[in-house]
Amino acid sequence: MSKTFDALKPYLDRAMALKAAMALFEWDNETLAPKEAGRLTSKVIGILSGEYFGVVNQDKVKELAKACREDSGLTQAEKAQVRELSEELEKLGCIPREEYQEFARLASESARVWAKAKEKDDFDEFAPMLEKVIGFQKKFAGYRAKDGQKKYDVMLNDYEPGFSMEVLDEFFGAVKQEIVPLLTAVKSSGVMVRDDFLTGEFTDEQQERIGRFLAEYVGFDFSRGVMAVSAHPFTTNLHNKDVRITTHYNQNLDSSLFSVIHEAGHAVYELGIDDELTQTFVGEGASMGMHESQSRFFENIIGRNRNFWIPIYGKLQQAFPEALTDIGLDLFVRGVNKAEPGLIRTEADELTYSLHVLIRYELEKELIEGDLTVKELPGVWADKYEEYLGIRPETMKEGVLQDIHWSQGSFGYFPSYALGSAFGAQLYYHMKKEMDFDGLLAEGKVEVIREYLREHIHKHGKLKDSRRILKDVTGEDFNPQYYVRYLKEKYGELYRLKG
Amino acid sequence: MSKTFDALKPYLDRAMALKAAMALFEWDNETLAPKEAGRLTSKVIGILSGEYFGVVNQDKVKELAKACREDSGLTQAEKAQVRELSEELEKLGCIPREEYQEFARLASESARVWAKAKEKDDFDEFAPMLEKVIGFQKKFAGYRAKDGQKKYDVMLNDYEPGFSMEVLDEFFGAVKQEIVPLLTAVKSSGVMVRDDFLTGEFTDEQQERIGRFLAEYVGFDFSRGVMAVSAHPFTTNLHNKDVRITTHYNQNLDSSLFSVIHEAGHAVYELGIDDELTQTFVGEGASMGMHESQSRFFENIIGRNRNFWIPIYGKLQQAFPEALTDIGLDLFVRGVNKAEPGLIRTEADELTYSLHVLIRYELEKELIEGDLTVKELPGVWADKYEEYLGIRPETMKEGVLQDIHWSQGSFGYFPSYALGSAFGAQLYYHMKKEMDFDGLLAEGKVEVIREYLREHIHKHGKLKDSRRILKDVTGEDFNPQYYVRYLKEKYGELYRLKG
C-alpha cells in the first residue's frame, strides 16, 4: 500500500459516495418517485453532480494524482484507480463546473420530457430539449478533443475505450455486409417459426414469480440485490453488495423472460466484482460494451440455448399453463429464437438487433459530425428502418422516441450494444473449447459458466479494458468475424439456409 | 432579496442536496435495500454526512452567515434560514469532522445491530453498541454545552427548542400526577370496552387498500408522495413534492389503520410547506414536537373521533366484512379508544401513551445526567413499567429493545412525542372555538380542518418555533393543562368516571 495513494484515497471515497447517491436517485426516479417530484429532485441531482465535480476536479487531487503516477510503489489496483482518475480529471478539467452541473440538471429534466413526449407520441415536444442536450454534448466533446480528434470519437471513447469511428465503421461495415443479406435469406427461406404462444394475458404475479426464479437461477443473489418494476428495464449498482435490476411486465412472454435474464447478466457482472475493488474508481464493469457482452451472453448465448431450458422448461410450463402446456421444448426454443424485423430495439431478436444499432450509429455520426438536424431526425430514422429492416414506423413511440439514451445525452453509447454481442460471440467460441458448454447447461450447471466469467472477467472490474480482457481470455484481439459466424450458424440452422 | 444572502445561497443549496441524499438512503435502507448492503452503504452515508459537514462548517460560510446577520435587507424567510444555519454552525463548529462522520457511520450500523438484537431478543448483543452511541452523544453535547448547560438540555433543545429539563419536569410532573390516577380510575371503573373485532386474519392487500384510502382521505397527495412497507412506520421528505410514508401490516386493525393516519399527518405537514421554503434550511416542520402534534392530531383528535368515521365507516366495513359487518359505528369507535396498559409504546392508546414517554424521559435523564448504566437499563425499564403501568415486560423485544431511537443516538427525542400530544390538545380546544370541528368531520370535510392547520402551521415550516406557533394560533403560551383536560374529558366519558 502506497502512502501517496493513501493521501489520495479519501478524495476517491468521497467521489464514490456522491456517485452512489446519484445512482440511488436514478434508481428511485425510475422505480418509485412520485410524479410531481421531478423538477425539485432534478435540482438535487444537479447539485450532487456539482459536488462530485468539485471533489474530483480540484488542485489538491490533481497534485496527488500526479504524485501517484510518479510513485512506483502502487499496487496494480491502485495504479488502475489513478489511471481512471486521471482520465476523469482530464475530462472534467475541460468542462466548467457550472456547465457540467447545468447539464446534469438538464439531462434529468430532459429524460422526463422525453417520457412525456413518448407517451403523447409527440416528437416536437421533445425536440427543443434534444437540441439542447446535443448542444451540450458537442460543446463538451469539443472541449475535450485532442489533436484534431473528432467529437464523436471523444464520445465513443467514453463508453468503449479504444473503439473509434475507424474501428466501428469496419465493424458495422461487416454487420451491414453480412447481416442484411442474411436477414433477406431468412425472410425468403419459407420457414415459418411459431411464436403465437408467447403472446397472451399473463398476470404480473405470474411474470414476477418466474422472473425472480430465472434471475436467481442464472446467479442473481437476492441477499445482495433487489428487483423492481420500471418502464424500461435497467440495472443499477451501488456496490457489490447492492445491485438492483428492474423488469417490466407485458403481454409478451419473450420480452418478460429474457429482459430479466439480460438484466441479471449485468447484475452478475457487478456482483462479481472483487471486494477489494468495489467502491473504488475501478469497481465496476470494464466498459459498456463488456457489460453488454455479459448481459447479452446471459440473455442469448445462455438463455436462448435449448440446453438451458432442459432442466427448467417444466417449471416454465407450470408457471404459464394456459400458454405452454401444449408447447414442447423444441417449439418453445424455436419460438424465442424467431428472427423477424421489428421496430423496437429492445424487443429485437439477435439477428436484427445489430441492425437497430447500426441505424443509431449512423444517425449519431450524422448528428454529431454531419449536417443532420433534430428536425430531420424522425424522417431519416424511418427511411433507414425501411432500408435495413424493410419496415417503417408509423408512430414516434415506435420510432425515434423509443429509447431514453439521447434524452440523457448518451451519444456513443448505442454502438456498445452491438459490440457487446460481438464480444460475447468471441468469448463463446473460446469457452466452447474450454468446457462442455451445452452439457453444463443441460445439467443445470449455469454456475460453472458464471464462475468462469467471474474469474476471467467480472472480478477484475475496470482493471483492464475490453480489448485487453478479450486478448487475455481468448488469446486474440477483438475480432468481429466470430459474431458474424455465430449469427450465420445459428440462423442458418434455424431457417435451414444453405451454408 | 439580499445580495449578501445570494452569496450564501449556493452553500445552503449544497447542504440541502446532501441532506436529501441522506434522507433517500435512510428511506431506502428501511424499505428496500438488500440485507447484505448494510456495511458498505453505511460507509457511503458516513461520507455523505462528512460532505454535509464540510459544506456547512467552512470559513467562507461562517463569514457569509455573519455578513447576513449584519445585513438589514434580508427577507423574513432569509433571516430564518440564517438563524437556522447559525445554530447549525454553532453545533457543528464544536464537533471535529472525523468524529461527526464516524458517528454517522456508527449510527447507521448501530440501527442494524439493534434490529438484529431485537429479532433475537438479545439485549447483550446491542449493549456495547448503545454504550458507544451514548458515549458519542455525551461527548458531542459536552462540546456544545454553554455556560454550565446540562448535556441532556443540549439534546432536548435539538428536538424542541425552548424545552429544557426544567420545563419538561413540570410537564411530566403534571402527567404523572394526573394521568397515573386517571388510569387507575379507568382500570377500576368496571366498564368493559370490546375490541376483540380489531384482531383477526387481515390480508396485506386489504390493509393496503384501506391504508391508501385513509391516507388520501386525510389529505396525503399520491402525486407528491409514495407509500411503502417497513418494519417501523415512518415519514421521510425530500421536499414538498416528494414526501413518503411507510406502513406495516399485522393482525391488529387498530395499529394498521391508525399508523397510516399518523404518518399521513406527518406527511400533510411536509406537503403543506410553502414552495418558497421547501429545499431550504427552514423548509421542514418547526420541531419534532410540532410534527408529532400534527401526526397525533390526525391520528387521535381527528382519526379516533366518532364523527370522522360517520361518512366512511361503511367503506371500512366493506373492506373488512368478516370483522366489522356486525359491529356498529359506536362499538367500533369505543373499541379504537379503549385504554389498556400495554408494553409497546407505538401501540399504546392515547391515555397510556404519555406514560410510555414519561418512562423514557426519566431513563434518558438518568443515562445522560445520572449514574444509570447500559447494563442496568433492562431492569430499570421493567421496574418503571411495573410502577406506572402495572405490567412488566417478559422479553427485551417488548421492553428496552422496542424502539429504534437510542440506536441512532436520538436522545431527547422521546419527550417530543408527549409534547406533541399536548400541543395538539391545546390547538384542538382553540380550533373548536373557531369552527364546528365535529360537524366538519361528520360531513367528510377533513380538508377544512387540514387547510386551517396548513394556513396556521404547516406552510410556515421552521419560520417559527413551536412556542411561537402556539402563541400565534391560540393566543396563549404552551399550557399542558389542555392535554390533561382532554384526556380527563375523553376517558371520563368513555369510562363513565365521576367528574
Side-chain angles (χ1 to χ4, degrees), chain B residues 319-339:
Chain B
F320 301 96
E322 311 83 351
L324 299 181
T325 300
D326 299 333
I327 305 297
L329 173 62
D330 286 308
L331 216 51
F332 171 77
V333 172
R334 285 179 68 82
V336 300
N337 281 296
K338 183 176 182 174

Side-chain angles (χ1 to χ4, degrees), chain B residues 18 31 42 55 137 161 213 243 249 318 329 334:
Chain B
L18 289 161
T31 56
S42 291
V55 166
Q137 286 300 309
F213 167 76
V243 180
Y249 302 125
Q318 277 167 21
L329 173 62
R334 285 179 68 82

Side-chain angles (χ1 to χ4, degrees), chain A residues 165-194:
Chain A
M165 281 188 276
E166 200 185 335
V167 183
L168 286 173
D169 282 345
E170 197 190 319
F171 170 63
F172 282 112
V175 166
K176 207 157 152 176
Q177 196 186 329
E178 304 268 5
I179 311 303
V180 176
L182 179 57
L183 179 60
T184 308
V186 162
K187 285 199 284 187
S188 56
S189 69
V191 176
M192 302 299 287
V193 173
R194 253 190 85 181

Side-chain angles (χ1 to χ4, degrees), chain A residues 13-14 17 24-25 27-28 32 34-37 40-41 43-44 47 51 223 225-226 239 241-242 244 279, chain B residues 14 17 24-25 27-28 32 34-37 40-41 43-44 47 51 223 225-226 239 241-242 244 279:
Chain A
D13 283 345
R14 291 167 63 192
L24 185 61
F25 269 108
W27 161 270
D28 188 78
L32 185 69
K35 67 175 197 291
E36 298 294 326
L40 296 187
T41 297
K43 186 175 165 185
V44 172
I47 294 171
E51 291 301 294
S223 76
V226 297
H239 43 66
K241 302 284 186 289
D242 191 343
R244 300 166 180 217
Q279 295 191 313
Chain B
R14 290 167 64 192
L24 185 61
F25 269 108
W27 160 269
D28 187 79
L32 185 68
K35 68 175 198 291
E36 297 295 326
L40 296 188
T41 298
K43 186 175 164 184
V44 172
I47 295 171
E51 291 300 294
S223 77
V226 296
H239 43 65
K241 302 284 186 290
D242 190 344
R244 301 166 180 216
Q279 295 192 313

Side-chain angles (χ1 to χ4, degrees), chain A residues 210-477:
Chain A
I210 201 77
R212 287 185 177 268
F213 167 75
L214 287 172
E216 199 154 17
Y217 187 73
V218 301
F220 184 74
D221 174 357
F222 278 93
S223 76
R224 295 187 287 145
V226 297
M227 183 172 105
V229 173
S230 67
H232 241 72
F234 68 97
T235 302
T236 299
N237 65 304
L238 300 183
H239 43 66
N240 74 356
K241 302 284 186 289
D242 191 343
V243 180
R244 300 166 180 217
I245 59 176
T246 70
T247 181
H248 60 167
Y249 303 126
N250 53 41
Q251 304 318 323
N252 183 308
L253 208 50
D254 185 287
S255 158
S256 156
L257 297 177
F258 291 97
S259 91
V260 168
I261 303 179
H262 179 97
E263 299 308 328
H266 281 302
V268 160
Y269 196 163
E270 294 296 337
L271 289 167
I273 303 276
D274 246 11
D275 282 346
E276 282 175 30
L277 301 182
T278 193
Q279 295 191 313
T280 75
F281 267 59
V282 292
E284 54 183 15
S287 70
M288 288 299 166
M290 193 48 75
H291 235 301
E292 203 62 21
S293 86
Q294 298 305 290
S295 58
R296 301 188 75 76
F297 196 97
F298 276 85
E299 176 190 345
N300 295 323
I301 293 176
I302 293 178
R304 295 186 198 268
N305 184 316
R306 183 181 182 279
N307 298 284
F308 173 78
W309 290 99
I310 290 174
I312 58 174
Y313 186 62
K315 192 172 172 83
L316 189 71
Q317 284 180 307
Q318 278 166 22
F320 301 96
E322 311 83 351
L324 299 182
T325 300
D326 298 331
I327 305 298
L329 173 61
D330 286 307
L331 215 51
F332 172 75
V333 172
R334 285 179 66 82
V336 300
N337 281 296
K338 183 176 181 174
E340 191 172 41
L343 293 165
I344 308 296
R345 177 185 60 83
T346 55
E347 289 168 11
D349 54 77
E350 278 182 273
L351 180 60
T352 55
Y353 190 83
S354 55
L355 303 178
H356 290 264
V357 177
L358 166 66
I359 290 169
R360 286 156 179 77
Y361 172 67
E362 292 184 350
L363 291 171
E364 288 189 347
K365 257 176 77 175
E366 282 298 309
L367 279 168
I368 307 298
E369 297 296 338
D371 303 323
L372 183 62
T373 64
V374 165
K375 221 181 137 181
E376 296 163 338
L377 198 52
V380 184
W381 177 288
D383 291 344
K384 283 192 186 284
Y385 266 79
E386 193 149 9
E387 184 184 348
Y388 298 139
L389 288 148
I391 47 175
R392 201 177 172 89
E394 303 274 319
T395 64
M396 296 294 169
K397 253 184 247 215
E398 295 179 311
V400 66
L401 283 179
Q402 68 182 265
D403 296 308
I404 195 174
H405 305 61
W406 289 344
S407 77
Q408 298 173 319
S410 301
F411 289 86
Y413 188 137
F414 282 120
S416 60
Y417 289 133
L419 284 175
S421 301
F423 296 170
Q426 185 169 344
L427 291 165
Y428 172 57
Y429 282 106
H430 175 74
M431 286 171 75
K432 293 222 306 183
K433 289 186 273 177
E434 304 258 311
M435 61 179 71
D436 176 13
F437 197 93
D438 288 342
L440 288 166
L441 288 181
E443 287 170 40
K445 294 183 175 161
V446 182
E447 71 274 14
V448 177
I449 295 169
R450 189 181 68 242
E451 271 307 308
Y452 182 94
L453 293 169
R454 171 165 150 74
E455 195 54 34
H456 288 82
I457 303 174
H458 306 171
K459 74 172 192 184
H460 303 297
K462 259 177 140 69
L463 288 182
K464 317 190 235 180
D465 69 17
S466 51
R467 286 180 101 141
R468 183 78 252 164
I469 291 171
L470 285 175
K471 187 85 199 242
D472 287 353
V473 181
T474 70
E476 200 180 341
D477 196 2

